[in-house]
Amino acid sequence: MESWKLETSDGGHIEGHSFLTPAEQEPTTAGHPGVVLVHGTLVTDALYRPFARKLSVLLGRPVHCYNRRGRAGSSPQPAGYSAETEVSDLGAVMHETGSRDVVAHSYGGFVALQAARTLPIGRLVTYDAAVSLSGNLSHRWRPELEDAVTAGQLNHAWAHLVQGLGTAGPLSYLPLGALRMLSILSARTNLGTEMRQLLPTAVKEMRAVIDAGAELSDFTALTSPILMLSGGWSPAYFAETGRQLAAAVPSIDFRVVPGQLHEGPIRPGKGLAVRIARFINASDGQARSLGRRR
């Protein structure tokens, strides 16, 4: 793994990590055309490094993941943070690493689809992309989440986030009191502590999704090959978004990945990485025919 930093257009900086195949081990990331991996909310790129390493081996080329604003070694989210901030940062990473292909998860999928409208993305795979089409995710935004974060009531905030988004599987349907207790218990772990610290970034990121006001017409001009995936056990609204976009945009295919939860890319196993690598390398000859199945 190779670590690096780059400056952003607004004077900030981004921390990233690259995974190279043995034949490509060189001292700098520049000139290594590969794939950029964009992570979701409430996490850092650290959770995605095993996945990035698998992809690099399967693709036979480098995979570059980076910490989005507000976490780890990257700059804080700036004043006026929006989807445009993330699109600009993704463009900077693509330019620095010489990459055109992108793989993105959850909020990262939202960022990548917005970016595909203006950036020279070659092939794109999203997993459970958090796009609010015609405001269909607005009801999942809970003002109580922002109020709790502002008041420093992080256990309460975490409970509202999990219950609102429904991304924690069966746990999402627990009463708020039970979720608050789980938050207290998880705070004893490094991952739980990190997630609590990132709650303020989640507030701004959810706002960015709602404020983007995405419509199907925003994406109809896309020509880059795009594969939208959703886990078979993920909340149904992710699959509904994929189906709507695939029906409206010829360059988008959609597939459900059976047996996968929302956190599929950060769970053990190789199957999901194999599917993504085949599409990115244009070796999945059945991608389009399978993708149109409902």
Side-chain angles (χ1 to χ4, degrees):
M1 182 181 75
E2 178 183 309
S3 300
W4 45 268
K5 281 191 177 183
L6 63 86
E7 292 187 5
T8 61
S9 60
D10 61 358
H13 62 268
I14 296 171
E15 174 191 60
H17 303 88
S18 296
F19 296 87
L20 310 178
T21 59
E24 294 166 326
Q25 298 290 339
E26 295 183 13
T28 64
T29 60
H32 287 293
V35 178
V36 176
L37 177 60
V38 191
H39 66 73
T41 197
L42 277 189
V43 290
T44 68
D45 80 338
L47 288 181
Y48 292 79
R49 292 176 195 172
F51 185 69
R53 189 176 290 108
K54 291 174 196 171
L55 275 181
S56 180
V57 171
L58 290 166
L59 291 167
R61 48 194 175 119
V63 173
H64 312 283
C65 51
Y66 66 100
N67 281 305
R68 294 190 295 96
R69 302 289 190 104
R71 64 208 77 214
S74 295
S75 295
Q77 291 172 325
Y81 170 87
S82 67
E84 286 72 22
T85 307
E86 296 284 1
V87 170
S88 177
D89 287 354
L90 174 55
V93 174
M94 291 174 63
H95 177 76
E96 178 72 14
T97 61
S99 302
R100 295 187 68 237
D101 299 331
V102 177
V103 176
H105 178 213
S106 194
Y107 181 78
F110 159 74
V111 171
L113 284 168
Q114 291 291 331
R117 299 166 59 189
T118 57
L119 298 182
I121 290 178
R123 299 177 77 84
L124 166 63
V125 180
T126 69
Y127 184 88
D128 282 354
V131 179
S132 184
L133 283 177
S134 301
N136 70 330
L137 297 188
S138 296
H139 69 285
R140 295 189 173 276
W141 166 256
R142 294 188 174 185
E144 297 92 340
L145 165 61
E146 188 168 6
D147 293 342
V149 169
T150 301
Q153 299 172 344
L154 299 185
N155 295 317
H156 194 62
W158 187 85
H160 276 291
L161 180 69
V162 169
Q163 203 175 68
L165 295 181
T167 52
L171 294 179
S172 304
Y173 303 102
L174 291 174
L176 283 174
L179 288 172
R180 284 195 296 269
M181 182 57 65
L182 283 176
S183 177
I184 293 170
L185 294 174
S186 70
R188 300 175 182 175
T189 67
N190 291 335
L191 179 59
T193 298
E194 182 177 76
M195 291 178 70
R196 287 160 59 91
Q197 293 172 343
L198 290 173
L199 277 166
T201 68
V203 170
K204 291 186 177 181
E205 289 166 7
M206 289 181 67
R207 280 286 191 190
V209 170
I210 302 302
D211 291 346
E215 301 289 343
L216 285 173
S217 59
D218 295 337
F219 304 100
T220 51
L222 295 180
T223 57
S224 300
I226 298 172
L227 175 62
M228 295 187 70
L229 300 174
S230 184
W233 293 342
S234 298
Y237 60 83
F238 290 116
E240 182 57 28
T241 295
R243 291 190 181 98
Q244 288 185 53
L245 284 168
V249 185
S251 67
I252 296 180
D253 288 328
F254 169 73
R255 282 192 278 178
V256 170
V257 185
Q260 287 283 353
L261 293 162
H262 175 66
E263 63 267 25
I266 59 177
R267 291 178 67 85
K270 191 177 178 181
L272 183 59
V274 168
R275 285 175 177 255
I276 291 173
R278 285 175 177 169
F279 182 83
I280 291 293
N281 269 350
S283 58
D284 186 358
Q286 294 181 311
R288 182 164 296 278
S289 60
L290 288 175
R292 292 300 183 185
R293 292 181 185 177
R294 302 294 188 265

